[in-house]
Amino acid sequence: MIEDFPMQQIINEDGEIVDADALNDISTEKVKSFYYKMLCARMLDKKCVNLQRQGKIGTYVPYEGQEAAQIGSAVALEEGDWIFPTYRDHAATLTFGHSMRNLLLNWRGRPEGNVPPEGVNIFPPGIPIASQLLHATGAAWAEKKHGSDRVSLVYFGDGATSEGDFHEALNFGSVFNIPTIFFNQNNGYAISVPMERQMKTKTIAQKGLAYDMDCLRIDGNDVLAVFAATKASVDRARANQGPTLIEAVTWRYGAHTTADDASKYRDQNESETRRETTDPLLRVQRYLQTQNTWNEDWLKTIEEEITDEIETAIAEMEAYPEPDLRQLFDYVYDRPTWTIQEQVNQHLAVQGEE
Amino acid sequence: MVSPAVNTKKMTMIEGVRNAMDEMLKENEDVIILGEDIGVNGGVFRATEGLHEKYGEDRIIDTPISESGIIGNSIGLAANGFRPIAEIQFLGFIYPGFNQLMTHATRLRQRSLGRFTVPVVVRAPYGAGVKAPEIHSDSVESLFTHMPGIKVVVPSNAYDAKGLLIASIDDPDPVMFLEPLRCYRSNRTEVPDGKYTIDIGRASVLKQGDDISVFTWGAMVMDTMKAIETLEEEQNMSCEVIDLRTLYPLDKETISASVQKTGRAAIIHEAPATGGVSNDVISLINDTSFLYLRAPIQRVTGFDTPVPVYSLEQEYLPSAAKIQAAIVNAVNF
């Protein structure tokens, strides 16, 4: 079956062009903008790991290594579309318009972290695995019922395909021809459990066949392949041609979270080797170098720019006002029930606040 | 409550449920229904009979057999402008959808500080006593009263069912709408034409009385009324009977005012005793009316066992004799 799902690439690990036709549709400026976004995401991720070590944010979920999968897919969407991230997809949410400050606030345990800017349709991250896939079909179904051509894209990992909600969502998507892109990031591990223990199939893409759905497997570290495949799927969904399952094969360099030790279940040397081989940024750099549009000076300039942006966002996060008790009580219902109101009053009477 | 100018019609509870959905489907194009066998078939209890024909398959949606899918999609639809009514064929089959309710429907508003909301009504027939196959007879209302972020409503007659279901569909938050299936066709009440609502969180005093307050809901309302009729004739006592109708939030005013008047209370429900909603009623009475009590509060409930197959279900359900004994115990304490 794996032969039926070759891993599609536009540029390979060495930055060489594999699919020249596909590349024709993507300008060098666009490739540079992808590189910029990936660099920004990587620098933010590294910074967040440090912030966690310093105790400035809580347990953090790193995505380093998966920048191409997340950014290539998010840039293929347009205003009015919807994304449904997991907790590891802040490179995608950042790309789709979430504010960096709010992303940081999320890791600082603040509910503002789940609130995207007005007009940007990003759901709070799905925490129970695969549960968000059904919201993605529901929201896109609503767009279709209202006669719009907006679509949804939902992120999930390899482990999520073992959950019932994955299958229920693909089935709904397929039965009702819902404009949803099921975007799988197959990074090889669900915390510690490798793909071969998660499923007997060699690909995730083939699971779409059971739902008579378009399904494809791409090199998730090739941002151009990710962008092109997602864009084509989005265009089809907009044209009412149904959902697509995309398997983007990728790798997380780090542990599952800052509370996890990946060396317990895999050889971390592989991550180090991959940094030199399959890395999503390195291959774009190599490609741009062949086009004479990448050099150390440019890198230095954009690194400074990104550092400023990150430092500003961190300062905003640190200066953010203390949480308000109303966030605990006032958003459970449209209006607090009497039991909640009594609990607020009793709490305040003892705590002596406000 | 019903103005003389409004036409009324005698309906069974299932007709009241259907009539409520019909009114709301007519009024608001964003009201849609999702469920299993609810389309051409009209639902296994006929709650949606005729609606598919009238409103079409885009609004009366037969779904795959997929409880998590029904509730999960309803969340996405609701967050993006629709007012879905999700029918779960029997409450005993809701468990695959439990995660969607517990981790999403009930907390999306708070998680997003009000940015995304979930105005979904989940309707489910429930309860024992109709000789249904295994698992079809569960009474697990307290699984939902324990979920912050959802309201739990249980009508016991057509008038309440229509007014409460319309209020639930209008409600900006998720509502668990439990339909005691033993009540579906066992009684008829006058139901006004057109739209009216009954406030969620308001109990109904079915019968005034002086000696004891009897709180119940769902199918046990019928059994309690019947048990009390005999008791009052035989024992010369006067019972106040209150149909709670909403299990979260409870009607604090009505419950406490009644207990403060009678000084005694009994709570009747068919769900298992431990963790049952009766415990919340007792807490409420404790908090508001402790010094008015003249006897320990009585409970008549199902057992802490799974609801049995039907050859044993009459043993499981609170009987008239148990209800009467509990009331007599309290009054003669």
Side-chain angles (χ1 to χ4, degrees):
Chain A
M1 186 69 81
I2 195 162
E3 305 78 41
D4 298 331
F5 292 96
M7 205 158 74
Q8 300 175 21
Q9 287 183 325
I10 292 180
I11 52 173
N12 68 14
E13 286 81 349
D14 299 323
E16 295 162 352
I17 299 167
V18 178
D19 184 344
D21 287 348
L23 191 57
N24 276 341
D25 298 335
I26 307 170
S27 68
T28 307
E29 277 315 299
K30 192 146 200 163
V31 181
K32 285 182 85 173
S33 79
F34 292 165
Y35 184 85
Y36 184 98
K37 287 177 203 294
M38 290 197 293
L39 184 66
C40 176
R42 177 159 297 184
M43 289 170 66
L44 176 66
D45 187 72
K46 283 179 184 293
K47 190 73 193 181
C48 284
V49 172
N50 286 337
L51 289 172
Q52 191 278 332
R53 302 284 183 236
Q54 295 163 24
K56 289 186 175 176
I57 60 174
T59 300
Y60 175 73
V61 181
Y63 52 73
E64 193 192 15
Q66 300 183 207
E67 296 89 348
Q70 295 187 23
I71 289 162
S73 52
V75 289
L77 296 168
E78 292 173 9
E79 200 179 330
D81 291 332
W82 290 73
I83 68 170
F84 295 78
T86 73
Y87 43 76
R88 198 187 302 285
D89 297 317
H90 25 301
T93 55
L94 187 67
T95 304
F96 196 57
H98 226 309
S99 77
M100 200 181 278
R101 181 202 69 190
N102 278 16
L103 289 178
L104 290 166
L105 284 170
N106 177 44
W107 298 110
R108 206 168 161 89
R110 300 293 297 270
E112 289 85 351
N114 285 339
V115 186
E118 203 55 47
V120 179
N121 300 323
I122 303 173
F123 244 47
I127 309 292
I129 302 301
S131 57
Q132 75 279 8
L133 273 74
L134 291 161
H135 312 152
T137 50
W141 201 2
E143 292 293 340
K144 179 175 164 154
K145 283 180 170 298
H146 279 144
S148 109
D149 68 352
R150 298 298 90 177
V151 306
S152 71
L153 185 147
V154 57
Y155 294 98
F156 56 102
D158 35 297
T161 66
S162 302
E163 291 278 8
D165 279 357
F166 164 77
H167 296 277
E168 295 195 27
L170 262 66
N171 192 42
F172 266 76
S174 145
V175 169
F176 296 104
N177 204 40
I178 295 171
T180 294
I181 288 78
F182 297 100
F183 193 90
N184 176 261
Q185 291 173 83
N186 178 1
N187 69 14
Y189 283 85
I191 304 189
S192 66
V193 176
M195 183 176 168
E196 56 270 23
R197 179 53 69 90
Q198 200 69 240
M199 65 199 81
K200 192 168 179 183
T201 62
K202 296 285 186 290
T203 79
I204 284 166
Q206 72 193 70
K207 293 171 194 256
L209 293 177
Y211 300 97
D212 199 20
M213 184 183 293
D214 275 3
C215 38
L216 53 141
R217 186 159 166 267
I218 58 178
D219 182 342
N221 285 8
D222 174 2
V223 69
L224 304 179
V226 174
F227 170 72
T230 311
K231 182 74 171 56
S233 306
V234 166
D235 289 347
R236 285 180 357 84
R238 284 203 209 291
N240 203 25
Q241 288 168 21
T244 305
L245 172 62
I246 298 176
E247 175 186 1
V249 180
T250 183
W251 185 263
R252 74 168 139 85
Y253 289 141
H256 168 64
T257 69
T258 50
D260 174 45
D261 174 9
S263 67
K264 279 192 75 179
Y265 50 81
R266 70 181 194 194
D267 181 359
Q268 279 298 82
N269 286 329
E270 181 165 0
S271 281
E272 294 317 308
T273 310
R274 281 173 181 267
R275 284 181 189 279
E276 301 305 318
T277 53
T278 63
D279 186 70
L281 278 87
L282 192 58
R283 78 174 70 188
V284 176
Q285 177 191 324
R286 286 167 175 160
Y287 165 71
L288 288 173
Q289 278 170 323
T290 66
Q291 308 295 306
N292 294 320
T293 51
W294 189 99
N295 58 53
E296 292 289 344
D297 285 346
W298 181 64
L299 177 64
K300 207 168 162 232
T301 311
I302 62 174
E303 273 177 346
E304 279 169 14
E305 209 175 300
I306 292 166
T307 303
D308 283 351
E309 189 189 351
I310 293 172
E311 292 305 327
T312 305
I314 291 170
E316 285 173 1
M317 170 194 78
E318 291 185 321
Y320 205 72
E322 286 299 303
D324 187 329
L325 261 187
R326 281 177 298 187
Q327 294 178 340
L328 175 59
F329 295 115
D330 285 5
Y331 295 96
V332 184
Y333 297 92
D334 179 47
R335 279 176 301 175
T337 56
W338 69 262
T339 67
I340 293 175
Q341 197 52 58
E342 274 193 6
Q343 289 158 12
V344 181
N345 296 343
Q346 287 163 5
H347 176 78
L348 292 178
V350 177
Q351 301 290 99
E353 286 176 34
E354 291 192 345
Chain B
M1 268 189 280
V2 179
S3 108
V6 176
N7 285 325
T8 68
K9 194 180 158 203
K10 256 193 168 353
M11 287 187 191
T12 60
M13 196 180 88
I14 193 78
E15 290 168 334
V17 166
R18 185 188 310 138
N19 191 228
M21 292 193 285
D22 196 2
E23 291 292 342
M24 296 308 282
L25 285 158
K26 194 161 56 187
E27 180 190 281
N28 183 352
E29 292 229 320
D30 287 331
V31 173
I32 54 176
I33 310 179
L34 297 92
E36 298 157 11
D37 307 297
I38 65 156
V40 179
N41 191 43
V44 295
F45 289 101
R46 305 287 173 256
T48 52
E49 192 162 68
L51 299 180
H52 182 265
E53 205 176 8
K54 198 164 167 185
Y55 297 102
E57 64 176 13
D58 289 339
R59 297 184 67 198
I60 314 298
I61 304 163
D62 265 331
T63 67
I65 302 178
S66 190
E67 288 76 17
S68 186
I70 292 168
I71 297 170
N73 274 285
S74 295
I75 292 166
L77 284 157
N80 198 6
F82 279 88
R83 293 252 165 189
I85 303 168
E87 178 176 307
I88 300 299
Q89 204 159 67
F90 287 85
L91 187 60
F93 302 155
I94 202 167
Y95 309 117
F98 201 79
N99 180 46
Q100 289 293 340
L101 287 170
M102 186 68 200
T103 70
H104 292 295
T106 54
R107 60 178 102 194
L108 189 57
R109 178 190 289 279
Q110 192 195 45
R111 290 190 73 209
S112 66
L113 296 180
R115 175 63 179 279
F116 300 109
T117 61
V118 187
V120 169
V121 180
V122 179
R123 294 181 38 246
Y126 88 107
V130 299
K131 298 191 161 83
E134 283 187 278
I135 320 289
H136 289 62
S137 305
D138 281 15
S139 239
V140 289
E141 57 267 32
S142 61
L143 295 182
F144 307 102
T145 58
H146 199 61
M147 281 183 177
I150 196 165
K151 296 168 185 172
V152 183
V153 174
V154 189
S156 67
N157 61 65
Y159 176 81
D160 288 355
K162 180 173 174 183
L164 282 165
L165 184 50
I166 291 175
S168 300
I169 297 167
D170 271 342
D171 198 277
D173 288 304
V175 176
M176 195 70 211
F177 196 85
L178 302 178
E179 300 167 7
L181 52 91
R182 202 146 58 87
C183 295
Y184 268 155
R185 291 181 173 82
S186 56
N187 64 65
R188 286 174 189 273
T189 48
E190 291 290 341
V191 175
D193 286 349
K195 185 176 175 180
Y196 68 93
T197 57
I198 293 172
D199 288 346
I200 294 172
R202 290 281 162 261
S204 165
V205 181
L206 296 180
K207 183 185 159 306
Q208 302 268 353
D210 299 320
D211 297 322
I212 185 167
S213 307
V214 184
F215 301 102
T216 187
W217 58 89
M220 295 316 294
V221 169
M222 298 184 300
D223 298 0
T224 302
M225 289 299 277
K226 202 179 277 179
I228 274 164
E229 201 179 324
T230 340
L231 192 67
E232 287 188 323
E233 277 170 23
E234 290 168 2
Q235 304 258 349
N236 187 33
M237 61 173 67
S238 148
C239 305
E240 182 143 305
V241 181
I242 293 177
D243 178 354
L244 291 179
R245 298 194 300 195
T246 297
L247 302 183
Y248 186 86
L250 287 168
D251 184 345
K252 185 183 178 189
E253 287 73 28
T254 303
I255 294 170
S256 54
S258 177
V259 174
Q260 289 172 19
K261 180 177 77 173
T262 64
R264 301 178 188 91
I267 305 148
I268 322 293
H269 66 64
E270 64 176 89
T274 300
V277 174
S278 52
N279 303 332
D280 290 315
V281 178
I282 292 171
S283 270
L284 192 158
I285 294 169
N286 180 62
D287 291 347
T288 60
S289 315
F290 181 71
L291 294 176
Y292 293 83
L293 286 176
R294 291 191 270 170
I297 300 167
Q298 307 290 313
R299 284 197 303 169
V300 185
T301 69
F303 303 119
D304 285 359
T305 65
V307 180
V309 288
Y310 77 78
S311 64
L312 284 166
E313 71 181 347
Q314 291 308 323
E315 299 292 329
Y316 173 89
L317 286 170
S319 63
K322 283 185 188 169
I323 296 169
Q324 289 162 348
I327 292 171
V328 169
N329 275 347
V331 175
N332 294 342
F333 180 72

